[in-house]
Amino acid sequence: MPDIEPQEVLAAEQQGLKRDLRLRHMTMIAISCTIGTGLFLTSGSTIATAGPGGALLSYAIVGLWVVFVCQAVAEIATLLPLPGAFNTWGGRVFDEAFSFQMTWMYFINWALTIPAELSASAVVIGFWLPEDSNFPVWIVPLIIILVMTAINLAGVKTYGELEYWFSLPKVITIIMFIICGILVDAGVLGGVKYGMHAWHIPGAPFKGGFLGFLTTLVSVGYAYEGIEVTGVTAAECRNPHKHVPKAVNLVLFRIVFFYLVSIFLLGSIVPNDDPSLLNVTSSTAKAPFTIVFAKAGMDSAAHYMNAVIFTSILSAINADFYVATRMLFSLSRNGWAHKWIGYTNSRGVPLVALSVVTACSCLSLITIFVGSGVVFHWFVSMIASIIFQTWTFILLLHFRFRYCWKKQGRSVSDLPYISWGYPYGNILGTVIGVCCIIATCGLSIANPPQDPGPNATPQQIDDYHSARESYAQGLLGAWFPWVMSPILFFSYKFIRKTKMVKAEEADLDTGRFIPTESDKEDLKPHGPLWKKVVKFLT
């Protein structure tokens, strides 16, 4: 293996940032980005569409996919903790044009996620307002934007600490839900023993067959979005060699466990033909978690869940602001956006990038014109497709990284963290990803709505307009990244005349974290076994 300088050589995009994030901060940021409206508000529709078995299978398959995605992220981010994370790897091992398009698409993803979450916040607040209220819904997103901007201005240490406490309520709620769900299903709470009865009613366990299963992939993908964010936070953590692998594995297994157990319990307690599962208005009163808590005898279940979902949205938006800002910062430092955007203040905050993200977040204010629920569902369809593309590209870049590493005569054992399951896990993950993308794109063009004709009734015309809007939403969401990405890639390649990076010349050292003696000491296990177990569980 080539000799490496004892001092750390920072990449341009690392300069100016502060390494102030601890392990607990990184863990909660990734949990915040992932667990949110995707689980609390839309999980019921997956059961209504695909049945309890189909929903569980969908969450399990996408969960298996993200397991290998996160392992790829952990391996490279531990070695190269860059704020652009996996998006900038392509310029090192493949082609600069690939990194350009991938970083821009990932920024667009989070720039859309913020308005989606803000739109959901207006829906959640609407639950507490009387039906005839004239309260302007855009006030809520505006206040949240101002608060989140102030938090992110305070610096990464303050941001990480606040994010940790923002995230606790939803983690506690999911644990409470799992315990409560088990007791309700067993008949201990609520006086009715559900068992596996809901798995044997008409339509269950696989409602709609294979097509029903495929239809749920978009909402499930949206629910898992953000699980890869640990790679982004690596650039500002104190010891990437220790914190990145631990954060990735802790977040990964907790989220997959939370999701699978929650979906199993929901599918066992609430029948798939219950109309409230569809929750077309995204109402908290009809949210699946609320239904289960109500069956347990919690009279104020809807109000409790509304409060939890609102704090969940706040923590998610806080994390979204952080990720979007770092993506824009990375674009600037790599020369793919104006150099002014890469400016950082004395606290290590990308000030201009944060200002741009704040301006983009104001897209949520269009809810005043078209309705919060409509905006939310349009953004969700695009976000899920972009994240499917990102996950697939991460696995492909990991293949290329390992190839370059080997071509340069380096040993896999020299990597600070080795992803488990490689290469078979990557192959399986890529196959799952490609199948999900093909299914999503295929379903978006299937069964276009038919014009009912001049003799149609008003109801038929309304149904046609609704179906046409839904069709357009699915079409835009599925195909947007696959139209936009080639435009970005080939435009940059044509203008900059970039060429594919030779494996022997790939830069695998600039920006590499070189641990100090105290960092190496920190990597050694400390304390008795019982303390390690308690620390892992908490």
Side-chain angles (χ1 to χ4, degrees):
M1 178 177 173
D3 292 332
I4 298 173
E5 293 294 327
Q7 71 274 12
E8 187 173 0
V9 180
L10 294 179
E13 58 181 313
Q14 291 173 310
Q15 295 172 10
L17 298 178
K18 305 288 186 181
R19 282 192 171 140
D20 284 333
L21 290 178
R22 297 179 181 272
L23 175 61
R24 63 190 181 91
H25 297 146
M26 294 176 67
T27 303
M28 281 302 193
I29 289 170
I31 287 177
S32 296
C33 284
T34 309
I35 299 177
T37 54
L39 177 65
F40 289 132
L41 291 182
T42 65
S43 55
S45 65
T46 63
I47 298 172
T49 303
L56 188 62
L57 180 64
S58 185
Y59 273 90
I61 288 179
V62 176
L64 182 63
W65 179 13
V66 300
V67 163
F68 299 116
V69 169
C70 287
Q71 286 300 304
V73 169
E75 180 173 296
I76 307 181
T78 303
L79 180 77
L80 298 169
L82 305 171
F86 35 83
N87 300 291
T88 53
W89 300 341
R92 301 286 190 98
V93 301
F94 181 56
D95 190 312
E96 189 178 326
F98 191 79
S99 271
F100 173 79
Q101 69 85 19
M102 195 172 174
T103 310
W104 268 110
M105 289 304 298
Y106 198 64
F107 167 70
I108 292 170
N109 172 74
W110 289 102
L112 292 175
T113 301
I114 294 171
E117 298 282 5
L118 287 166
S119 299
S121 72
V123 175
V124 170
I125 288 296
F127 172 78
W128 283 312
L129 299 175
E131 292 184 7
D132 58 348
S133 173
N134 294 320
F135 181 79
V137 293
W138 57 268
I139 289 291
V140 177
L142 181 60
I143 293 173
I144 294 175
I145 289 170
L146 295 174
V147 171
M148 295 308 155
T149 302
I151 290 173
N152 279 265
L153 278 172
V156 70
K157 185 175 182 180
T158 303
Y159 158 77
E161 197 63 39
L162 288 172
E163 187 59 31
Y164 178 83
W165 295 105
F166 266 147
S167 301
L168 276 181
K170 61 182 172 185
V171 174
I172 293 170
T173 297
I174 293 177
I175 294 172
M176 283 176 54
F177 171 80
I178 290 173
I179 296 171
C180 183
I182 293 171
L183 296 176
V184 169
D185 192 52
V188 178
L189 294 177
V192 179
K193 184 177 181 180
Y194 294 93
M196 298 291 288
H197 174 72
W199 289 66
H200 302 289
I201 64 174
F206 296 98
K207 185 178 180 180
F210 187 60
L211 184 62
F213 159 73
L214 293 178
T215 306
T216 63
L217 291 175
V218 169
S219 58
V220 172
Y222 175 70
Y224 276 112
E225 183 213 13
I227 200 169
E228 74 291 338
V229 157
T230 308
V232 179
T233 60
E236 294 175 271
C237 77
R238 295 193 174 185
N239 188 345
H241 283 194
K242 177 183 179 180
H243 294 159
V244 173
K246 281 191 174 183
V248 165
N249 289 316
L250 283 172
V251 171
L252 179 62
F253 290 112
R254 285 175 184 177
I255 288 178
V256 172
F257 173 76
F258 284 160
Y259 276 35
L260 295 185
V261 174
S262 296
I263 294 300
F264 173 77
L265 291 171
L266 282 173
S268 299
I269 297 170
V270 187
N272 63 74
D273 55 1
D274 189 325
S276 60
L277 278 178
L278 286 173
N279 198 13
V280 292
T281 60
S282 298
S283 168
T284 309
K286 295 181 180 180
F289 278 56
T290 305
I291 297 171
V292 174
F293 280 130
K295 288 179 181 291
M298 284 181 61
D299 297 330
S300 57
H303 290 283
Y304 171 75
M305 277 308 301
N306 204 56
V308 169
I309 291 172
F310 186 69
T311 58
S312 171
I313 290 171
L314 290 179
S315 72
I317 295 171
N318 195 28
D320 297 346
F321 260 76
Y322 172 83
V323 178
T325 301
R326 268 52 183 182
M327 286 302 104
L328 200 53
F329 172 79
S330 176
L331 283 165
S332 173
R333 288 298 178 90
N334 282 291
W336 304 330
H338 198 282
K339 64 180 182 180
W340 277 93
I341 296 175
Y343 167 76
T344 57
N345 63 14
S346 59
R347 292 188 295 275
V349 178
L351 206 57
V352 181
L354 178 60
S355 301
V356 174
V357 170
T358 300
C360 290
S361 66
C362 291
L363 279 172
S364 62
L365 301 183
I366 64 177
T367 58
I368 189 174
F369 302 109
V370 296
S372 307
V374 174
V375 173
F376 176 72
H377 287 102
W378 272 84
F379 282 152
V380 165
S381 62
M382 286 190 285
I383 291 164
S385 296
I386 296 173
I387 207 65
F388 280 180
Q389 182 189 72
T390 300
W391 289 344
T392 304
F393 285 168
I394 287 173
L395 291 174
L396 295 177
L397 285 174
H398 189 212
F399 279 121
R400 178 68 181 172
F401 167 79
R402 279 292 190 96
Y403 177 74
C404 293
W405 188 264
K406 185 177 179 181
K407 270 289 187 180
Q408 293 184 7
R410 307 180 191 230
S411 172
V412 174
S413 61
D414 292 327
L415 290 168
Y417 177 76
I418 301 172
S419 65
W420 43 266
Y422 185 90
Y424 305 108
N426 279 39
I427 294 171
L428 177 59
T430 303
V431 170
I432 293 173
V434 170
C435 289
C436 286
I437 291 165
I438 291 174
T440 304
C441 292
L443 286 174
S444 70
I445 60 176
N447 302 318
Q450 301 297 321
D451 193 322
N455 299 321
T457 64
Q459 182 60 48
Q460 289 175 323
I461 294 174
D462 288 343
D463 290 344
Y464 169 68
H465 288 158
S466 177
R468 188 173 62 178
E469 181 180 311
S470 179
Y471 184 76
Q473 176 184 312
L475 201 64
L476 174 64
W479 291 95
F480 172 74
W482 303 106
V483 173
M484 195 67 188
S485 288
I487 292 173
L488 291 170
F489 178 82
F490 288 109
S491 297
Y492 189 85
K493 196 167 183 64
F494 175 76
I495 295 170
R496 295 291 184 92
K497 310 295 183 185
T498 61
K499 294 182 179 180
M500 185 172 177
V501 177
K502 293 180 180 179
E504 296 83 359
E505 299 174 0
D507 182 5
L508 304 179
D509 291 317
T510 303
R512 182 172 175 175
F513 176 71
I514 308 298
T516 62
E517 289 303 317
S518 61
D519 292 328
K520 292 176 182 177
E521 184 66 26
D522 194 33
L523 288 171
K524 297 177 182 178
H526 297 91
L529 179 61
W530 70 269
K531 280 191 175 182
K532 297 176 188 175
V533 173
V534 171
K535 193 172 183 180
F536 175 82
L537 293 175
T538 55

